[in-house]
Amino acid sequence: MVSEKMKMLGSNRSVIRELFEYGKKRAAEVGAENIYDFSLGNPSVPAPASVEAEIERLTKAMEPTALHGYTSAQGDAGVRATIASNLVSRFSLPVKADLIYMTCGAAASLCISLKALTCEGDEFITFTPFFPEYRVFVEAAGAKLVPVKSADKTFQVDEAAFEKAITKNTKGIIVNTPNNPSGVVLNSESIAAIVRVLEKKQAEYGKPIFIITDEPYRELVYSGNPDSPFMKLYDNTILCYSYSKSLSLPGERIGYIAVSDKMADKGDVYAAVCGAGRALGYVCAPAMMQRVVAACDGQTADVSVYKKNRDILYNSLTKMGYSCVYPDGAFYLFVKTPTADAGEFSERAKKYDLLVVPADSFGVEGYVRLSYCVSTDMIERSLPSFEKLIGEYK
Amino acid sequence: MVSEKMKMLGSNRSVIRELFEYGKKRAAEVGAENIYDFSLGNPSVPAPASVEAEIERLTKAMEPTALHGYTSAQGDAGVRATIASNLVSRFSLPVKADLIYMTCGAAASLCISLKALTCEGDEFITFTPFFPEYRVFVEAAGAKLVPVKSADKTFQVDEAAFEKAITKNTKGIIVNTPNNPSGVVLNSESIAAIVRVLEKKQAEYGKPIFIITDEPYRELVYSGNPDSPFMKLYDNTILCYSYSKSLSLPGERIGYIAVSDKMADKGDVYAAVCGAGRALGYVCAPAMMQRVVAACDGQTADVSVYKKNRDILYNSLTKMGYSCVYPDGAFYLFVKTPTADAGEFSERAKKYDLLVVPADSFGVEGYVRLSYCVSTDMIERSLPSFEKLIGEYK
């Protein structure tokens, strides 16, 4: 009658969404101020003022037929030129306007890139823990997701495990640093290991293996400066970006794909990106928002709030006896549960109106994810509950 | 290396796009005022003032984190309630908010609906002439497009041909009235014939056959009032809508899918729609624009300009000896070419700097499509060239 697979995808709410809905119901019962909801990765810091200012400027400065009209499928040429130029000056990336394709956000960037690359039998590797929608997107493109376990505790790359996972069917890998759900930023050793292994395996199999670098959290780093490391080091790199987190615009669905100018088959890959966008129904990225993000590209919402939240949450929970992965980016804290069963821990946390996401669906057992893109005040008020919760395990 | 199919889709520019690019090049040579470009369906009338006013109001009235934050995947609940209520009051449709799914425009509406419904071996019927991207979208969903020839000259439904085309593999049909590229509005006999045949065939095969009614031109009608006829008459109807043409917002990518509340399997179909949106990478429709179109739903850009253009173009060309299909909606005029080879006619028209699209890619030979969403002044200035062009065939 209908596609069973699509029905299943539309019926099975993610564990994150279930928790969020539970939180809304519980808030109605006991008051929102008594619920400590760490479930959703929805930016809590407003977009920079320049976003609203640019919207106002554009609506006054441009003719509506031009402002709201179709752009080319790849995106407005001026917008792409601005973004390319910023990627060159900010990160020294080998990109140019004609290899940038504007998208409706990170999910679209990934779906289009995967659809563009996938031939029958292809596999994509990703490292644990990983955003669960990766599996949905990879399978929708007709490929298979192959998770590779990261190193215990640090969640850096396990080079031997990675090398072992690559086969002749490996079309590419998806990397995500800063990482959702762990908040971990890959260190230079991990990055070098990825590049080293891929160069070796490309030579061994005599075919390209692509890096798809998923960078929505690029600007949310708390030591050092934002970076986009892969395209500088590895020619077969496709960069997927979204402004959802950096500019706090997740609902506006705006981002881009950039294909490396040093990629041997860049023309074919870019054409396939354009074709995949067309086949998936993306006519162009939202026109006005294309211009807004180009004007605000490189700016960020006030990410110092997230850093403050991280410090309070990491330091307090560690002091209480929780074992936490130190998060140097994004707005997630990955906490080892005092029992092996993260689901049980998440259920028990509800008793204290603490909503935390068991990480099993992220490909790692025995952890929960806390999104700290919430008010600092809520974090402070939640601490006694975390204290009581761990007390149950002592 | 990459998906050959996606590469092909990204490399083969449509004939429309080719003409448009030619026009830009030629305009640089002889001046834009000397090019009569009837190639693109890009609205020429600005969005109603209420659109910019609502954007300004929203940016002032709402917190940025709420205005630009994620909505639910189906779309903001208030937005869906407004749209459902308007569909009930304007067209007496059996819809409700929980069966509406906000999308990134018409292409997304179609791709998501097709992906939701398609099982292995499925076919979708559409009537000639048809928007060429239908084939791309149907094939991307894994189904086969089966064009059914419309009646000669009128382009109304040929009931016998339609009935004959339906097989046990027919999952649904795509209807498009007012039609791109002919401008034809299906009359009540055609609509009744479609419903009659489908009811009969559903009973014969003992399974649902769906109508996907693609209605971006719903408000662009020049006699009588806008209507949405199918869902009132046929329970297994999915309505696909876009605000691109009615509100002149094609670049903003905003529209919706509505599943009939009378559909027996509405729950499964709606779940599959949600799943397909997820699998194709549509996290939610652009958040601010969802609210803008809800506030402006039922309004239109000044479509009287298109009616004036239609009258001038239809009357003048008919008087010159062209044979035109009378267009009662959309902003397209379908002209029979004085030679059987529409491609030859389109090439010859270029000599007079007239850019008209041969209709072969729309599934009909011996016609060209003229988009009259252009300035009335340009139409008037183009008339002597049309006169000279037909003179070549006399």
Side-chain angles (χ1 to χ4, degrees):
Chain A
M1 233 284 301
V2 300
S3 160
E4 282 302 314
K5 174 122 202 190
M6 294 307 123
K7 188 175 112 186
M8 185 270 289
L9 281 177
S11 306
N12 292 5
R13 268 205 292 219
S14 73
V15 60
I16 300 172
R17 187 59 64 174
E18 289 288 355
L19 266 176
F20 176 72
E21 299 293 340
Y22 168 84
K24 280 207 294 194
K25 193 172 127 268
R26 185 80 182 126
E29 290 164 18
V30 300
E33 71 282 6
N34 297 311
I35 303 295
Y36 312 114
D37 185 351
F38 294 93
S39 65
L40 274 197
N42 210 354
S44 55
V45 174
S50 54
V51 164
E52 310 303 329
E54 183 63 12
I55 292 173
E56 192 180 340
R57 193 190 72 75
L58 286 166
T59 55
K60 291 194 163 62
M62 282 183 75
E63 287 295 329
T65 48
L67 178 58
H68 304 302
Y70 292 114
T71 69
S72 81
Q74 300 101 298
D76 178 79
V79 166
R80 288 184 287 122
T82 299
I83 290 172
S85 154
N86 289 351
L87 286 172
V88 171
S89 63
R90 290 176 69 204
F91 306 120
S92 308
L93 298 191
V95 294
K96 54 183 195 182
D98 287 349
L99 291 170
I100 286 182
Y101 181 93
M102 299 302 295
T103 68
C104 293
S109 297
L110 288 167
C111 285
I112 292 169
S113 298
L114 290 163
K115 182 88 177 166
L117 294 180
T118 298
C119 305
E120 213 185 317
D122 279 349
E123 297 175 356
F124 286 88
I125 286 173
T126 199
F127 301 102
T128 64
F130 59 91
F131 183 47
E133 294 298 278
Y134 283 178
R135 187 180 298 280
V136 176
F137 301 157
V138 166
E139 290 179 0
K144 186 183 157 197
L145 186 74
V146 178
V148 168
K149 207 170 156 300
S150 295
D152 281 340
K153 291 178 186 165
T154 64
F155 294 103
Q156 296 293 330
V157 171
D158 177 338
E159 185 170 354
F162 175 45
E163 182 167 346
K164 214 175 134 190
I166 298 176
T167 72
K168 65 176 176 25
N169 295 322
T170 306
K171 177 54 77 69
I173 72 166
I174 307 175
V175 283
N176 175 225
T177 175
N179 179 263
N180 172 12
S182 71
V184 165
V185 176
L186 288 185
N187 60 26
S188 54
E189 289 75 23
S190 285
I191 292 164
I194 289 171
V195 171
R196 187 164 53 234
V197 168
L198 288 180
E199 295 286 12
K200 179 179 163 190
K201 289 291 179 176
Q202 284 198 134
E204 185 179 324
Y205 291 117
K207 62 153 209 170
I209 304 176
F210 297 93
I211 292 179
I212 297 176
T213 171
D214 178 30
E215 304 187 355
Y217 298 97
R218 185 172 66 205
E219 279 76 15
L220 276 63
V221 285
Y222 307 119
S223 55
N225 292 317
D227 194 17
S228 181
F230 290 102
M231 199 186 278
K232 277 178 285 203
L233 301 171
Y234 188 76
D235 293 348
N236 284 325
T237 295
I238 298 173
L239 165 59
C240 291
Y241 186 71
S242 157
Y243 293 89
S244 290
K245 315 296 177 177
S246 58
L247 289 178
S248 291
L249 297 173
E252 303 301 354
R253 313 312 305 146
I254 186 78
Y256 59 79
I257 296 166
V259 174
S260 172
D261 193 31
K262 289 188 169 172
M263 187 184 288
D265 300 294
K266 63 190 177 186
D268 283 356
V269 169
Y270 189 74
V273 162
C274 294
R278 187 177 165 193
L280 297 176
Y282 294 101
V283 173
C284 64
M288 184 172 69
M289 276 297 156
Q290 286 188 40
R291 296 177 176 100
V292 170
V293 297
C296 303
D297 185 58
Q299 300 176 33
T300 62
D302 179 10
V303 300
S304 73
V305 177
Y306 300 135
K307 182 173 192 298
K308 187 176 173 190
N309 288 354
R310 183 212 45 184
D311 290 342
I312 295 172
L313 204 56
Y314 178 82
N315 293 336
S316 305
L317 265 58
T318 305
K319 202 184 281 178
M320 289 176 202
Y322 287 100
S323 170
C324 307
V325 182
Y326 185 74
D328 220 4
F331 38 47
Y332 304 108
L333 181 66
F334 217 49
V335 181
K336 196 159 174 46
T337 50
T339 161
D341 183 349
E344 190 273 338
F345 180 82
S346 170
E347 272 307 308
R348 193 178 294 243
K350 282 183 182 170
K351 226 171 59 181
Y352 302 97
D353 287 315
L354 291 167
L355 306 186
V356 299
V357 179
D360 303 61
S361 64
F362 298 99
V364 172
E365 290 177 1
Y367 283 85
V368 288
R369 184 190 82 168
L370 279 59
S371 298
Y372 55 79
C373 45
V374 295
S375 76
T376 307
D377 176 61
M378 187 195 99
I379 293 178
E380 283 166 342
R381 286 186 293 107
S382 74
L383 296 177
S385 297
F386 278 111
E387 185 90 62
K388 285 181 213 149
L389 176 58
I390 200 168
E392 294 210 17
Y393 294 94
K394 278 176 178 166
Chain B
M1 232 283 301
V2 300
S3 160
E4 282 302 314
K5 175 124 201 187
M6 295 306 122
K7 189 176 112 185
M8 187 271 289
L9 282 176
S11 307
N12 293 4
R13 267 206 294 221
S14 74
V15 59
I16 300 172
R17 188 58 62 173
E18 289 287 356
L19 267 175
F20 175 71
E21 299 293 341
Y22 169 84
K24 280 206 293 192
K25 194 172 126 268
R26 186 79 183 128
E29 290 164 17
V30 300
E33 69 284 5
N34 297 311
I35 303 295
Y36 311 114
D37 185 351
F38 295 93
S39 66
L40 273 197
N42 210 355
S44 56
V45 174
S50 54
V51 164
E52 310 304 329
E54 183 64 13
I55 292 173
E56 193 179 341
R57 193 191 73 75
L58 286 166
T59 54
K60 291 196 164 59
M62 282 183 74
E63 289 295 329
T65 48
L67 177 59
H68 304 302
Y70 292 114
T71 69
S72 82
Q74 300 101 296
D76 177 80
V79 165
R80 288 184 286 123
T82 299
I83 290 172
S85 153
N86 289 353
L87 286 172
V88 171
S89 63
R90 291 176 68 204
F91 307 121
S92 307
L93 298 191
V95 293
K96 55 183 194 182
D98 286 348
L99 291 170
I100 287 182
Y101 180 93
M102 300 303 295
T103 68
C104 293
S109 297
L110 288 167
C111 286
I112 291 169
S113 298
L114 290 163
K115 183 87 178 167
L117 295 179
T118 297
C119 306
E120 211 185 318
D122 279 350
E123 298 176 355
F124 287 88
I125 285 173
T126 198
F127 301 102
T128 65
F130 60 90
F131 182 47
E133 294 297 279
Y134 284 177
R135 190 180 295 281
V136 176
F137 301 157
V138 167
E139 291 180 0
K144 186 184 157 195
L145 185 74
V146 178
V148 168
K149 208 172 155 299
S150 295
D152 281 341
K153 289 176 186 165
T154 64
F155 293 102
Q156 294 293 330
V157 171
D158 178 337
E159 185 170 355
F162 175 45
E163 183 166 347
K164 215 175 131 188
I166 298 176
T167 72
K168 64 174 178 21
N169 295 322
T170 306
K171 177 53 78 69
I173 72 166
I174 307 175
V175 285
N176 175 225
T177 174
N179 179 263
N180 173 13
S182 72
V184 165
V185 175
L186 288 185
N187 60 27
S188 54
E189 289 77 21
S190 286
I191 292 164
I194 289 171
V195 170
R196 188 164 53 233
V197 168
L198 288 181
E199 295 285 13
K200 181 179 159 188
K201 289 291 180 177
Q202 285 198 134
E204 187 179 323
Y205 291 117
K207 61 152 210 171
I209 304 176
F210 296 93
I211 292 180
I212 296 177
T213 172
D214 178 31
E215 303 187 356
Y217 298 97
R218 185 172 67 203
E219 279 76 15
L220 276 62
V221 287
Y222 307 121
S223 56
N225 292 317
D227 195 18
S228 181
F230 289 101
M231 199 186 278
K232 276 176 285 203
L233 302 170
Y234 188 76
D235 293 348
N236 283 325
T237 295
I238 298 173
L239 164 59
C240 291
Y241 186 72
S242 156
Y243 293 89
S244 291
K245 317 296 178 176
S246 58
L247 290 178
S248 290
L249 297 173
E252 302 301 354
R253 314 312 304 146
I254 185 80
Y256 60 79
I257 295 167
V259 173
S260 172
D261 194 32
K262 290 188 170 173
M263 187 184 289
D265 300 294
K266 62 190 177 187
D268 282 357
V269 169
Y270 189 74
V273 162
C274 295
R278 187 177 165 194
L280 297 175
Y282 293 101
V283 173
C284 63
M288 183 172 69
M289 276 296 156
Q290 287 190 40
R291 296 176 175 100
V292 170
V293 297
C296 303
D297 185 58
Q299 299 177 32
T300 63
D302 179 9
V303 300
S304 73
V305 177
Y306 300 136
K307 182 173 192 299
K308 187 175 172 191
N309 288 354
R310 183 215 43 187
D311 290 342
I312 296 173
L313 203 57
Y314 178 82
N315 293 336
S316 305
L317 265 57
T318 305
K319 203 185 279 176
M320 289 175 201
Y322 286 98
S323 171
C324 305
V325 182
Y326 186 73
D328 221 3
F331 38 47
Y332 304 108
L333 181 66
F334 217 48
V335 181
K336 197 160 173 46
T337 50
T339 163
D341 184 350
E344 189 274 338
F345 179 82
S346 170
E347 272 306 308
R348 192 178 295 242
K350 281 184 183 171
K351 225 170 60 181
Y352 302 97
D353 287 317
L354 290 167
L355 306 187
V356 298
V357 179
D360 304 62
S361 64
F362 298 99
V364 172
E365 289 177 2
Y367 282 86
V368 288
R369 183 190 83 168
L370 279 59
S371 297
Y372 54 79
C373 46
V374 295
S375 77
T376 308
D377 177 61
M378 187 195 99
I379 292 179
E380 283 166 342
R381 287 185 291 106
S382 75
L383 296 177
S385 296
F386 277 112
E387 185 90 60
K388 284 181 212 151
L389 175 59
I390 199 168
E392 292 210 18
Y393 294 93
K394 277 178 177 163

